[in-house]
Structures are given as structure tokens and as C-alpha cells.
Amino acid sequence: MSEPRRDALYNGLTSFQPTLPSSAYWNAEEYQRDLDAIWYRGWVMVCRAADLAQPLDYRVVTVGTQEVLVLRDDRGDIRAFHNTCRHRGSQLCRESEGRLKARLLTCPYHAWSYSLRGDLVRVPSKSLPPGFDRADYPLYSVGVSVWRGFVFVNLAPSPQGSAASAFDEASADLGNWPLEDLATGHVYSKVMNCNWKIFWENFNECLHCPGVHKHLSELVPIYGRGLMARHDDPDWALHADNDEPRFSGGLRTGAQTWSRDGQPLAIRFPGLTDAEQAAGQTYAMNLPSMFIVGHVDYVRTVRLLPLGPERTQLVAEWLFPAETLAGRPDLDNIVSFGKAVLDEDAAICEINQKGLRARPHLAGVLMPEEYDLHRFHRWVRAAHAGYIERGR
Ligand code: FES
Ligand SMILES: [Fe+2]
């Protein structure tokens, strides 16, 4: 068998590729198209199943302009509905989270009541109009898919696939991390003044790492070279046998996890392979709403919601084995490191956003290292094209 051609393993772009048009990041109509073609059709992670631990627990999340009520019903199943009454469209739940006081959802306006499965069970009018059948007026249901402890919703009329099938093809499977059993140790939320796509573009390249992430670039030496992996370097073959982290990826010598000093907590995930431990960080991405990173001692998730053409909500969570949290460890070594990286990314995303309205800047151009960003653009373009082809 002949050896594979070494240049065939090179990851970088080998053709000229423009970015999306600048207006895709601020124009209101294009934002609406993102909502219609992507956010209202795909699986969107909204919380952990553990956030709805008990029957009657609920959360209200807003995806674009759509308020979604996610709850655990009296049988223990997680369900989602538009947070809207079928009578004259009032909002149903007014708080963003809590526990329902009864096994019925009662509209605050004229008290139509619904079961937690969404059936209309009570209409308090003295009489009903001819032809009115309560069975015709259930809550508007929203698709739910629970993947390994993460709750996703889907606003499409007939949701396709599942949260599992929506992971990016380059994602690691994270099967050796016990995701469904992890507990939340810390939550960090912030609003970024940028379009949601700017966040993902930044996530998909490390050209910015040497300039933007000083400490991360020390922890992950290959990032300090502006690269994400060995084969991002056109000259990778010259260093093919060099196992130093600056060429092979992984953490600097002596470091084991993403923390200020590189040291992990006492309890580490027992099921990881040597390669998963050596990798330092293992990513899975589910567009448009979330990514997960597995480390040797904890897992971090980041989820997004679009708030407007130039505003995006970010929620990061640090997840740990319950035994870890039971020992009440000081999480600051870990959390402050991750927060600093997120803050650096958010700040540079906002700076990127600010430049995009220059009238002559119709589009930018990608460098070879931005191959994953190009893949993201292809995904966005395909979603828009599919939306137009289907006649919306
Ligand atoms: S709008 Fe809900 S009962 Fe009237
Ligand atoms: Fe970054």
C-alpha cells in the first residue's frame, strides 16, 4: 500500500474563500433569515435535564422572538410548548423559571387551563360557541430532544432528526465522559454585543490566539502558533515526528487541565483513554447553539441564544462529578481561567462587530488556517439555501 500524500493531510484552505457578506452580521432582514432558516429549524440547547429535576419544574427561554416553556410533567417527561395561550394569545408563565403550583397550567388572563401534556382541560366561559371542541386547542407544542443530560428544543413544525444527529461531523463523541451524571458547579452568563455568527467564527479558528489569549497560548502551546492542530501547518511534515506540544497539540508539559496553574482537581474521570487525557481538551459542537469541552476533571459547556442582529446571550457552565462538588473544592483555579478566555473572546468578537459596518467592506477574506470557519460558512449558506428551496 502506498503512503498517503503528506499534502493531502494538510487541513488548511487551498483556495480563495471570501467571508459572508458584512451585512450578514448586522442587517435586520438577514438576522430574521438566520432566525427562520437556522434558529427556528434546528435543535437549540436550552438547559440541563437536572435544571428540571422535579415534576412541575419549568423554565422559559427565548429563542429569537419565540418564548418557549420547557417543563417536566407529572409523569417525569420533559415537554416544551410555546408560552402562549390558545384563547387570545396571552403569555402563560411570567417567570423565567420555577416550579408550577399545580398540575395545570392556567392562563393569567381568562383562566383557560391546560394539562402538563398541553391538553386544554378547562374553559371557564358560561357557554361555548357552536362547533368549539377543546381538543382543537391544545398548547402549541415544541420539539424536545434530550441528549446525555442536555435539553434541546426545536421550533420547526415537524422537527427533523434529534439533538444527537445535529452534532458537527468533526465533534469528538465524548462517550467516555459521564455527561448525564454531571452536576453544575458554576454558571457564567453574559450578553455579547455581536452577531451570533461572529462568536462561532472566532470559536473556529486560533489565528487570534497568540494576540488575544496570552495565558491560554502558554497552556496550549500549539495555540500560541496560531494553529489548532498539527496538520494546520503547511510544513507539518517537517515536524511529523516531533511530539512537543507546540507541534502535536495538547497541554504544556506538566499541565493536565484548563486551569490557572494547569493542575486538575483530585477526582478525575476514570474512563478516559490515554489519548483523551493527553489531548487536554476534547470538543463537540452542536450548531447553532452550543459546544462542549471535556477535560480530565471537568466539562465546560457554552450555549448561545440570539438576542438581536448585534446581540447574543452566552451562558457557560462548568460541570463536575457530584463527588467532586460534595467535597466543596475551590473551583476558582478552574473557573477563573475559563472565564478569562471567554471574556477575551467576547471582547474581540465585539471589536470585530464594530468594524463591520464600514460601507466599503462588503466582505472579508479567509486565511488558510480558517478552514473550520469556512466550513461554518458553508453550513450557514446551506441552511439558507435549503430554506429558500423548501419555499420556507
Ligand atoms: S388569553 Fe388565555 S385565557 Fe384568555
Ligand atoms: Fe479565542
mmCIF file of all heavy atoms in Angstrom, residues 202-203 205 208-209 212-213 216 341 345 348, ligand 2:
data_model
loop_
_atom_site.group_PDB
_atom_site.id
_atom_site.type_symbol
_atom_site.label_atom_id
_atom_site.label_comp_id
_atom_site.label_asym_id
_atom_site.label_seq_id
_atom_site.Cartn_x
_atom_site.Cartn_y
_atom_site.Cartn_z
ATOM 1 N N ASN A 202 -15.117 33.050 15.529
ATOM 2 C CA ASN A 202 -13.980 33.157 16.434
ATOM 3 C C ASN A 202 -13.660 31.800 17.072
ATOM 4 O O ASN A 202 -12.501 31.422 17.224
ATOM 5 C CB ASN A 202 -14.310 34.209 17.494
ATOM 6 C CG ASN A 202 -13.208 34.361 18.518
ATOM 7 O OD1 ASN A 202 -12.148 34.897 18.210
ATOM 8 N ND2 ASN A 202 -13.434 33.882 19.728
ATOM 9 N N PHE A 203 -14.717 31.053 17.404
ATOM 10 C CA PHE A 203 -14.524 29.727 18.007
ATOM 11 C C PHE A 203 -13.796 28.785 17.052
ATOM 12 O O PHE A 203 -13.077 27.888 17.471
ATOM 13 C CB PHE A 203 -15.907 29.152 18.355
ATOM 14 C CG PHE A 203 -15.872 27.731 18.850
ATOM 15 C CD1 PHE A 203 -15.499 27.443 20.152
ATOM 16 C CD2 PHE A 203 -16.205 26.685 18.008
ATOM 17 C CE1 PHE A 203 -15.457 26.123 20.606
ATOM 18 C CE2 PHE A 203 -16.170 25.369 18.452
ATOM 19 C CZ PHE A 203 -15.800 25.099 19.749
ATOM 20 N N GLU A 205 -11.399 29.254 14.828
ATOM 21 C CA GLU A 205 -10.016 29.480 14.396
ATOM 22 C C GLU A 205 -9.171 29.865 15.609
ATOM 23 O O GLU A 205 -9.698 30.339 16.613
ATOM 24 C CB GLU A 205 -9.940 30.556 13.298
ATOM 25 C CG GLU A 205 -10.634 31.881 13.616
ATOM 26 C CD GLU A 205 -9.754 32.915 14.277
ATOM 27 O OE1 GLU A 205 -8.594 32.598 14.614
ATOM 28 O OE2 GLU A 205 -10.251 34.039 14.489
ATOM 29 N N HIS A 208 -6.294 33.997 16.102
ATOM 30 C CA HIS A 208 -6.331 35.098 17.066
ATOM 31 C C HIS A 208 -5.664 34.732 18.400
ATOM 32 O O HIS A 208 -5.454 35.605 19.236
ATOM 33 C CB HIS A 208 -7.786 35.538 17.314
ATOM 34 C CG HIS A 208 -8.603 34.536 18.085
ATOM 35 N ND1 HIS A 208 -9.211 33.455 17.490
ATOM 36 C CD2 HIS A 208 -8.908 34.447 19.403
ATOM 37 C CE1 HIS A 208 -9.855 32.744 18.413
ATOM 38 N NE2 HIS A 208 -9.685 33.320 19.582
ATOM 39 N N CYS A 209 -5.374 33.459 18.615
ATOM 40 C CA CYS A 209 -4.947 33.034 19.957
ATOM 41 C C CYS A 209 -3.660 33.717 20.445
ATOM 42 O O CYS A 209 -3.613 34.177 21.597
ATOM 43 C CB CYS A 209 -4.815 31.514 20.025
ATOM 44 S SG CYS A 209 -6.414 30.681 19.841
ATOM 45 N N VAL A 212 -4.693 37.325 21.403
ATOM 46 C CA VAL A 212 -5.860 37.550 22.274
ATOM 47 C C VAL A 212 -5.777 36.732 23.569
ATOM 48 O O VAL A 212 -6.256 37.170 24.611
ATOM 49 C CB VAL A 212 -7.151 37.214 21.483
ATOM 50 C CG1 VAL A 212 -8.368 37.149 22.399
ATOM 51 C CG2 VAL A 212 -7.378 38.239 20.379
ATOM 52 N N HIS A 213 -5.191 35.546 23.504
ATOM 53 C CA HIS A 213 -5.206 34.636 24.661
ATOM 54 C C HIS A 213 -3.779 34.343 25.123
ATOM 55 O O HIS A 213 -3.216 33.281 24.822
ATOM 56 C CB HIS A 213 -5.867 33.300 24.290
ATOM 57 C CG HIS A 213 -7.269 33.398 23.810
ATOM 58 N ND1 HIS A 213 -8.272 33.993 24.534
ATOM 59 C CD2 HIS A 213 -7.857 32.951 22.667
ATOM 60 C CE1 HIS A 213 -9.414 33.895 23.857
ATOM 61 N NE2 HIS A 213 -9.186 33.276 22.722
ATOM 62 N N LEU A 216 -3.831 31.253 27.696
ATOM 63 C CA LEU A 216 -4.241 30.022 27.008
ATOM 64 C C LEU A 216 -3.152 29.572 26.033
ATOM 65 O O LEU A 216 -2.892 28.372 25.881
ATOM 66 C CB LEU A 216 -5.570 30.259 26.270
ATOM 67 C CG LEU A 216 -6.096 29.071 25.472
ATOM 68 C CD1 LEU A 216 -6.317 27.851 26.368
ATOM 69 C CD2 LEU A 216 -7.401 29.441 24.757
ATOM 70 N N VAL A 341 -10.742 33.375 29.435
ATOM 71 C CA VAL A 341 -10.694 33.052 27.999
ATOM 72 C C VAL A 341 -11.991 33.511 27.327
ATOM 73 O O VAL A 341 -11.966 34.119 26.249
ATOM 74 C CB VAL A 341 -10.449 31.536 27.781
ATOM 75 C CG1 VAL A 341 -10.549 31.179 26.307
ATOM 76 C CG2 VAL A 341 -9.081 31.129 28.337
ATOM 77 N N ASP A 345 -12.461 36.293 24.403
ATOM 78 C CA ASP A 345 -13.152 36.020 23.139
ATOM 79 C C ASP A 345 -14.316 36.988 22.922
ATOM 80 O O ASP A 345 -14.505 37.509 21.823
ATOM 81 C CB ASP A 345 -13.665 34.573 23.109
ATOM 82 C CG ASP A 345 -12.560 33.592 22.730
ATOM 83 O OD1 ASP A 345 -11.708 33.941 21.900
ATOM 84 O OD2 ASP A 345 -12.559 32.471 23.277
ATOM 85 N N ILE A 348 -13.067 40.446 21.874
ATOM 86 C CA ILE A 348 -12.562 40.561 20.494
ATOM 87 C C ILE A 348 -13.722 40.388 19.496
ATOM 88 O O ILE A 348 -13.721 40.998 18.422
ATOM 89 C CB ILE A 348 -11.394 39.575 20.228
ATOM 90 C CG1 ILE A 348 -10.546 40.068 19.041
ATOM 91 C CG2 ILE A 348 -11.855 38.172 19.975
ATOM 92 C CD1 ILE A 348 -9.776 41.332 19.284
HETATM 93 FE FE FE B 2 -10.500 32.511 21.343
#
